[in-house]
Amino acid sequence: MTEQTPVNQAAAVKAPTLPDAQTVTSVTHWTDRLFSFRVTRPASLRFRSGEFVMIGLMGDPHPETGKQKPLLRAYSIASPAWDDELEFYSIKVPDGPLTSKLQHIKVGDEIILRPKPVGTLVHDALLPGKRLWFFSTGTGFAPFASLLREPQTYEDYDEVIITHTCRDVAELTYGAKLIEDLKADELMQELIGPENLAKIRYYPTTTREQSPKMGRITTLLEDGTVFADLGVPVITPETDRAMVCGSLAFNKDIQALMEGYGLKEGANSEPGHYVIEKAFVGDGV
């Protein structure tokens, strides 16, 4: 199901042919709808775990002029700030202007990467708290893949709960494997500490295919199932902080729930109790 190939030296030294070009170093196809890939990291790029950048490819030539324009979309960086490479997690849309092309990239290919990271899913945008919630659907897991590998996440919180809701079980594989590998990896144990990795509580749900936990996370929050399953109290502004990344409808639903719990939205300029990523890559890319 997955394929990974190391980048060869010829690809690594190939002269860039795209503006802001970076070279693909590995590609993994998780399902017929989902894939992840890693690319070289510009030496000058500095970012905070949880931020996103604009990436893409050149569009089709104009039928009359033959000119090509960059086709760019916002993608959360799935790798942590300390990683030597950049990782991205993407949906495949057959008719999507970008992903219809991006899903066919191979090791040694180049993509466009604008080195100007931004975003709200960063620790700086939250007030201090005890329990951190990551709420995600689909490829909205990507920024949390970064933050789960960020030491500050565990320095700032006593407990880290990651919820991931997808339609089918296979769509949970990327996140489930990342967390499993994270807890077993000797480097991560040394960097973050096994006692800190033990703070992770993973709560996957599916909405279509049968799985151990069915249902939308919004419903499971509303009826109290999540809190009962995890053995934690209901969310309060005194102890809980949250980051949200999913579809527009999901983001709005979670936002309403957070406000109902008394949490206030934060931003880089004014930290709060929860933050939402508004540049999520949706189904039309």
Side-chain angles (χ1 to χ4, degrees):
M1 180 178 67
T2 62
E3 298 176 2
Q4 289 196 350
T5 309
V7 65
N8 56 48
Q9 291 184 344
V13 300
K14 183 171 61 174
T17 56
L18 296 175
D20 294 316
Q22 295 301 319
T23 303
V24 177
T25 60
S26 71
V27 181
T28 303
H29 293 276
W30 300 96
T31 72
D32 59 355
R33 296 184 69 248
L34 298 167
F35 71 108
S36 63
F37 57 97
R38 293 175 68 85
V39 303
T40 53
R41 176 175 176 170
S44 60
L45 178 63
R46 298 290 182 270
F47 70 95
R48 295 174 295 175
S49 294
E51 290 187 314
F52 66 86
V53 290
M54 302 297 290
I55 68 171
L57 298 167
M58 296 302 290
D60 293 329
H62 188 279
E64 296 178 3
T65 65
K67 291 185 178 179
Q68 292 177 280
K69 292 184 178 180
L71 188 58
L72 302 171
R73 295 290 185 273
Y75 268 77
S76 292
I77 302 173
S79 48
W82 51 262
D83 202 324
D84 291 336
E85 295 184 333
L86 300 176
E87 181 180 332
F88 299 96
Y89 184 42
S90 178
I91 194 171
K92 305 176 187 179
V93 181
D95 300 323
L98 177 57
T99 60
S100 61
K101 302 176 184 293
L102 194 63
Q103 64 182 292
H104 299 298
I105 58 172
K106 304 181 300 297
V107 170
D109 289 348
E110 293 175 340
I111 68 162
I112 302 168
L113 189 148
R114 297 283 194 246
K116 294 181 180 179
V118 291
T120 56
L121 299 183
V122 293
H123 289 303
D124 294 344
L126 292 177
L127 294 168
K130 294 183 178 180
R131 184 180 300 111
L132 178 61
W133 296 80
F134 292 142
F135 294 109
S136 65
T137 59
T139 53
F141 188 92
F144 306 138
S146 174
L147 286 158
L148 283 168
R149 292 179 277 189
E150 170 57 55
Q152 185 182 347
T153 300
Y154 308 95
E155 295 168 4
D156 290 356
Y157 298 94
D158 298 332
E159 195 169 15
V160 179
I161 301 172
I162 171 74
T163 80
H164 192 199
T165 301
C166 296
R167 294 182 304 177
D168 304 321
V169 174
E171 295 175 348
L172 295 168
T173 305
Y174 174 80
K177 186 176 188 304
L178 185 142
I179 292 172
E180 180 183 350
D181 292 348
L182 180 62
K183 291 183 175 182
D185 186 86
E186 291 184 3
L187 171 63
M188 297 308 300
Q189 288 186 13
E190 182 177 343
L191 178 66
I192 294 175
E195 71 286 355
N196 283 324
L197 292 173
K199 295 178 179 180
I200 300 174
R201 308 286 302 279
Y202 176 48
Y203 195 84
T205 72
T206 58
T207 57
R208 186 170 67 181
E209 184 181 1
Q210 190 67 36
S211 72
K213 180 58 63 175
M214 300 285 295
R216 298 181 183 279
I217 191 64
T218 47
T219 302
L220 300 173
L221 285 166
E222 288 172 337
D223 65 16
T225 300
V226 174
F227 309 114
D229 287 344
L230 295 173
V232 298
V234 174
I235 292 172
T236 68
E238 287 74 30
T239 58
D240 296 89
R241 302 294 175 260
M243 295 186 176
V244 187
C245 189
S247 66
L248 181 60
F250 171 79
N251 287 354
K252 288 182 176 180
D253 288 345
I254 291 288
Q255 182 173 26
L257 284 169
M258 294 303 107
E259 294 285 340
Y261 294 132
L263 275 63
K264 301 301 180 185
E265 186 174 3
N268 281 277
S269 57
E270 188 176 352
H273 303 121
Y274 75 93
V275 286
I276 295 176
E277 185 52 82
K278 299 177 175 64
F280 177 70
V281 177
D283 289 349
V285 298

